[in-house]
Amino acid sequence: MMDAYWGEGYSQEKNITLAWVYANASPVCGVLRLACASCAQIFADGRLIGFAPMRAAHGYARVSEYSLPPFRSLVIAAAGYNVNSFWLPLSHPFCAAELTCGGNTYDLSDFACVRLDDRLQKVQRFSYQRCFLEDYVLDGRRSRLFSGDVSAYPSVRAVPVAPPRWLPSRTHLPVLGRHTAVLLREGGVRTDPSLPIWRDRSQLNVGRELLGFSPEEWEDAPTDEVCRFRYGESGAGRYGLYDLGRVITGFLWADVCAEEDGTLYLLFSEVFKEGEADFDFLRDGTANCIKYRLAKGEHRLLSFEPYAMRYIKAVRFGGLKVRACGIIDYQNPDADAFRFRVADEKYSAILSAAVETFRQNAVDLLTDCPSRERAGWLSDAYFSSAAERLFTGGNCVEDAFLENYALADKRGLPRGMVPMCYPADSYAGYIPNWAMWYILEVHKNVRVSGSRCNAEAARENIFGIVEYFLQKENDEELLEDLEGWVFVEWSAANDPSHVCGVNFPSNMCWAKCLECVGELYGDGALLAKAERVRAAVRRLGFDGTFFVDNSVRGKDGVLRQTGLLTEVCQYYAFWFGVATPRTYPALYAEMCDKFGAARAEGYRPDVAPCNAIYGIYMRLDLLMREGDLHRLATECVACFYKMAKKTGTLWEHDKPYASCVHGFASYAARWLVCALTGWDGDRLLDAYLGTDCAFALPQADGSSLVIEVRDGRRGVRRACGVGRAAAESA
């Protein structure tokens, strides 16, 4: 296999960027195999052709293969971060590559190696979850580098380092399409020293739970500077505000002419402030800022890492002109296999937004969001993996995700527990509920794929999780006083008063986990135990009208209901099989008719409303299960149409105060496909809405299921091949 290298003397350094350069006298084509830690960009004659890594567990690395266009100069710019994060596993940096061209094969010992010292090293983190903000001093050397001239950068001796264990890249190389933003307005910028600067946990926790550089160590402080900008008609600087038309994830670019030396700040955001025509570049705890100090000349700027944005603000001081800016997207290429035409504009907008949301969160693994974290969270992946099956006909991204978990480093966690997100480092604790969702996802993967590979790979993890929870049982076989961050959903259901003692939503999920493990591995005792747990929840958790959130022990040691009620707890009961519409008809009717999107203001204030995950999603799933398709479609529009119109993507919450392109939200397409066509992912239901539409749904065997509804009548057939041709033939 390939040898791994890094710069001599730099293996322990944080935030070092090196470049390996191969130059040829005449254009050649070739194939490049590459793996790295932490990140790398690949350029052929200055054009971006790839980004790595395809992430793997600690001690492993995935090898990706790139077909190179004709090139004279190949540049691999690789960063070694050496910090913990949710986005990349902490490991000593390395780069490994094998170039085949002109009938010969070369490794990195055949490349020139230099340090890209025009990217500042000692800077702040981008966020609590990700690594470093980008800050540059560019003097024209980059253009020479891309032509193969390394003489202007400090030479580095590349030395072999201990290689990881190699894994194949199970996912396909991402799309790198180019988009240009539209200028909305221009204005002046001045600095107001009286304005406060920003400090948050990504800065203040360095040296405790976070690795990085403290504010006292920074070489530069871009966010401190930008926090004091005031925008108006005049000022020492100028700005341009740009719009991409929707949220897109990728590499921010700008073409800039510097008539004299100057400074440029590229700021970005997914949304404007509520009610305003501007944005907060620090929203969601992210430093959405890249700073460039530019020497006189022409500059083609490109961010090193991918970010998510709709709006860009280019703030410039000195003799700078921004000719254009935009983004090179970094997205899953396989969702093009899913094609549709829908007469209703609202349904069509939501479906498009769901596809965009999936694309941006399913490159190398299933992520929560491509902005703040880029992290592979359990629970989120349960839903986005179902979207992957719908959009692509397979689950190669989920397979990579689950393989990482099967190999996961569990140091720092209680015995039997798995990380809440991975590959990552568990500096922020763990969520016991997420281990349950891991079991649910493996079970679903086996059911829909027909393959037991992931179940066998996960066996040790799953039985470790079961043993962990068995130690938390009380005499009623219910989990009590769970440790870690007990997560039910982002609502009152997460309050400490709701999750302490015996938390009934957690136990409803636990019962389903026991059932799944019993089915996966043929364990009848666990199947029987699952039913006993459900019975105990029904006996101890139902107050005669609603399921309560929890019971706690009094001084006499007796469990008593707290009386705390949430909407989501009721959906947990039905979704996990503790209750059914047949066994609890009054409660089900109450939830359907009185709650959800149509809930009247002030109705049952003692039942706290739910949020997106899980309450709204469980509710819509239940409507789909019961064939209540008109209500399902109506509530999908109520929940998601505003998101689709505002950002072209779907959000983490029901309001735009966090991520506005969140992976699990792509699941919304499943409900609309079912409502419009009757296809629920497994079979065709008799019922469907009758709205004119046509879908090409990719299948695992490479065909498409083509479903067309015209004038209220449905036609269904199989088509060879997937994607555009199948949809257009509908």
Side-chain angles (χ1 to χ4, degrees):
M1 286 297 295
M2 299 183 296
D3 292 324
Y5 294 86
W6 196 246
E8 186 175 40
Y10 290 121
S11 286
Q12 305 295 325
E13 292 260 6
K14 297 186 287 286
N15 199 27
I16 294 292
T17 306
L18 306 179
W20 277 268
V21 181
Y22 176 85
N24 203 64
S26 57
V28 291
C29 296
V31 173
L32 178 71
R33 300 174 67 244
L34 181 138
C36 69
S38 303
C39 295
Q41 283 184 323
I42 307 161
F43 297 90
D45 294 337
R47 175 189 167 202
L48 180 70
I49 60 169
F51 180 79
M54 299 298 183
R55 285 168 285 180
H58 290 80
Y60 294 84
R62 298 191 186 277
V63 180
S64 297
E65 186 172 293
Y66 302 86
S67 294
L68 305 177
F71 70 92
R72 284 189 172 89
S73 173
L74 180 69
V75 175
I76 302 169
Y81 291 141
N82 263 327
V83 296
N84 51 357
S85 74
F86 287 11
W87 144 228
L88 295 163
L90 173 59
S91 64
H92 290 314
F94 75 87
C95 190
E98 183 179 85
L99 171 64
T100 301
C101 65
N104 298 307
T105 299
Y106 309 92
D107 77 355
L108 289 182
S109 64
D110 300 302
F111 287 55
C113 183
V114 295
R115 180 180 173 190
L116 300 185
D117 57 354
D118 48 12
R119 178 176 178 179
L120 298 189
Q121 177 189 6
K122 295 181 179 181
V123 295
Q124 68 197 82
R125 290 176 67 113
F126 171 77
S127 68
Y128 177 78
Q129 301 87 350
R130 286 179 68 171
C131 301
F132 291 104
L133 169 148
E134 299 181 44
D135 193 346
Y136 298 91
V137 180
L138 299 181
D139 51 12
R141 290 181 291 167
R142 286 281 172 130
S143 60
R144 292 160 58 187
L145 177 79
F146 290 140
S147 66
D149 179 2
V150 299
S151 62
Y153 286 99
S155 179
V156 172
R157 182 169 179 257
V159 295
V161 295
R165 285 169 282 186
W166 305 114
L167 293 172
S169 179
R170 303 198 180 280
T171 57
H172 301 125
L173 293 178
V175 172
L176 295 173
R178 186 179 177 92
H179 306 267
T180 300
V182 174
L183 179 65
L184 296 180
R185 69 171 183 269
E186 294 183 289
V189 184
R190 62 183 180 88
T191 298
D192 183 346
S194 69
L195 294 176
I197 60 174
W198 177 66
R199 290 290 181 266
D200 85 333
R201 58 181 179 167
S202 67
Q203 303 158 15
L204 301 177
N205 288 15
V206 169
R208 296 194 289 273
E209 63 188 13
L210 292 182
L211 300 175
F213 301 104
S214 65
E216 294 74 28
E217 298 175 279
W218 295 348
E219 299 173 65
D220 198 20
T223 62
D224 288 4
E225 296 163 5
V226 177
C227 280
R228 288 175 167 153
F229 289 169
R230 285 196 184 275
Y231 305 97
E233 294 301 316
S234 61
R238 300 291 294 171
Y239 79 91
L241 181 65
Y242 298 83
D243 184 6
L244 288 162
R246 58 180 171 83
V247 171
I248 306 176
T249 296
F251 304 96
L252 177 57
W253 64 266
D255 291 342
V256 180
C257 172
E259 297 177 344
E260 59 184 52
D261 294 356
T263 301
L264 175 70
Y265 302 83
L266 293 179
L267 316 177
F268 49 92
S269 178
E270 297 167 12
V271 289
F272 281 158
K273 298 174 187 175
E274 196 68 32
E276 297 184 28
D278 203 347
F279 62 77
D280 175 9
F281 80 105
L282 299 170
R283 70 175 299 274
D284 211 12
T286 53
N288 293 329
C289 170
I290 303 174
K291 180 180 176 181
Y292 298 92
R293 274 164 284 184
L294 302 175
K296 182 178 179 180
E298 297 284 339
H299 297 270
R300 298 179 63 189
L301 307 177
L302 183 70
S303 71
F304 183 75
E305 285 200 22
Y307 306 101
M309 66 198 73
R310 173 172 176 174
Y311 300 104
I312 303 165
K313 188 185 290 181
V315 181
R316 60 195 191 274
F317 295 87
L320 304 183
K321 292 184 178 179
V322 178
R323 300 190 191 280
C325 65
I327 199 164
I328 295 176
D329 54 19
Y330 185 66
Q331 302 186 5
N332 180 290
D334 299 327
D336 284 344
F338 173 84
R339 293 282 175 170
F340 67 92
R341 298 195 309 272
V342 180
D344 186 286
E345 184 272 334
K346 292 181 178 179
Y347 299 153
S348 184
I350 296 169
L351 287 163
S352 294
V355 174
E356 286 301 321
T357 300
F358 169 77
R359 283 188 177 124
Q360 298 177 47
N361 282 288
V363 178
D364 61 324
L365 50 85
L366 299 170
T367 59
D368 61 334
C369 61
S371 50
R372 179 185 69 223
E373 300 181 14
R374 301 191 66 81
W377 285 87
L378 293 170
S379 170
D380 295 54
Y382 179 93
F383 294 90
S384 51
S385 61
E388 182 187 10
R389 172 70 57 165
L390 176 66
F391 295 145
T392 74
N395 281 106
C396 68
V397 183
E398 183 190 34
D399 288 342
F401 177 88
L402 291 176
E403 182 177 48
N404 291 341
Y405 263 94
L407 301 171
D409 184 339
K410 297 187 280 289
R411 284 177 294 179
L413 296 170
R415 183 178 178 84
M417 186 50 57
V418 295
M420 57 188 178
C421 65
Y422 198 76
D425 297 283
S426 298
Y427 57 86
Y430 66 96
I431 302 176
N433 310 64
W434 267 215
M436 299 185 201
W437 283 97
Y438 174 61
I439 292 173
L440 300 179
E441 183 171 354
V442 172
H443 180 268
K444 176 175 64 66
N445 177 273
V446 170
R447 182 181 63 80
V448 301
S449 71
S451 168
R452 290 192 53 80
C453 290
N454 286 316
E456 294 309 316
R459 182 187 286 266
E460 181 180 340
N461 279 350
I462 286 177
F463 280 101
I465 293 166
V466 171
E467 287 301 316
Y468 171 86
F469 283 116
L470 289 177
Q471 298 173 47
K472 308 297 181 184
E473 283 189 336
N474 61 21
D475 292 342
E476 298 284 352
E477 294 187 274
L478 295 175
L479 304 178
E480 186 171 357
D481 292 331
L482 285 175
E483 298 171 348
W485 178 16
V486 180
F487 190 97
V488 177
E489 74 156 14
W490 287 119
S491 70
N494 260 18
D495 292 350
S497 60
H498 287 245
V499 298
C500 62
V502 174
N503 177 254
F504 288 113
S506 296
N507 276 282
M508 294 167 184
C509 185
W510 171 233
K512 185 64 177 178
C513 286
L514 291 167
E515 179 185 292
C516 288
V517 178
E519 291 179 354
L520 279 171
Y521 303 107
D523 192 324
L526 291 181
L527 291 172
K529 185 177 181 65
E531 288 309 312
R532 294 197 300 274
V533 172
R534 288 190 176 108
V537 170
R538 288 190 285 265
R539 185 174 69 256
L540 300 174
F542 191 63
D543 70 359
T545 304
F546 293 102
F547 284 93
V548 299
D549 274 37
N550 60 331
S551 288
V552 297
R553 293 190 185 276
K555 293 181 179 179
D556 57 3
V558 177
L559 278 173
R560 293 184 177 85
Q561 294 179 359
T562 62
L564 297 171
L565 301 174
T566 59
E567 186 177 352
V568 69
C569 184
Q570 319 314 310
Y571 300 139
Y572 262 75
F574 289 104
W575 205 84
F576 285 120
V578 169
T580 71
R582 268 61 63 189
T583 57
Y584 288 79
L587 176 59
Y588 187 78
E590 172 88 351
M591 299 312 299
C592 279
D593 297 338
K594 301 294 186 180
F595 288 84
R599 183 177 183 175
E601 185 176 353
Y603 180 73
R604 290 302 305 244
D606 57 325
V607 182
C610 64
N611 204 333
I613 285 288
Y614 298 96
I616 293 171
Y617 283 49
M618 288 180 170
R619 175 185 176 87
L620 295 174
D621 252 6
L622 291 166
L623 295 176
M624 182 173 69
R625 287 184 195 177
E626 294 301 308
D628 196 346
L629 301 186
H630 284 281
R631 197 193 310 252
L632 174 64
T634 299
E635 295 197 10
C636 277
V637 170
C639 291
F640 300 112
Y641 182 61
K642 63 183 179 184
M643 304 180 189
K645 291 298 287 183
K646 191 175 185 70
T647 64
T649 51
L650 304 179
W651 306 344
E652 180 177 5
H653 298 293
D654 54 1
K655 295 181 176 60
Y657 51 78
S659 162
C660 290
V661 52
H662 219 72
F664 64 60
S666 56
Y667 189 82
R670 189 165 181 254
W671 298 312
L672 279 182
V673 168
C674 182
L676 292 167
T677 70
W679 176 253
D680 72 352
D682 294 314
R683 65 192 190 283
L684 273 171
L685 308 178
D686 291 336
Y688 55 93
L689 290 185
T691 301
D692 282 3
C693 62
F695 285 85
L697 307 177
Q699 303 297 295
D701 62 3
S703 68
S704 279
L705 181 67
V706 178
I707 307 175
E708 182 180 20
V709 178
R710 184 178 297 170
D711 298 329
R713 300 182 63 182
R714 180 176 68 186
V716 182
R717 61 184 176 82
R718 289 273 182 168
C720 295
V722 295
R724 185 184 301 274
E728 289 179 349
S729 70

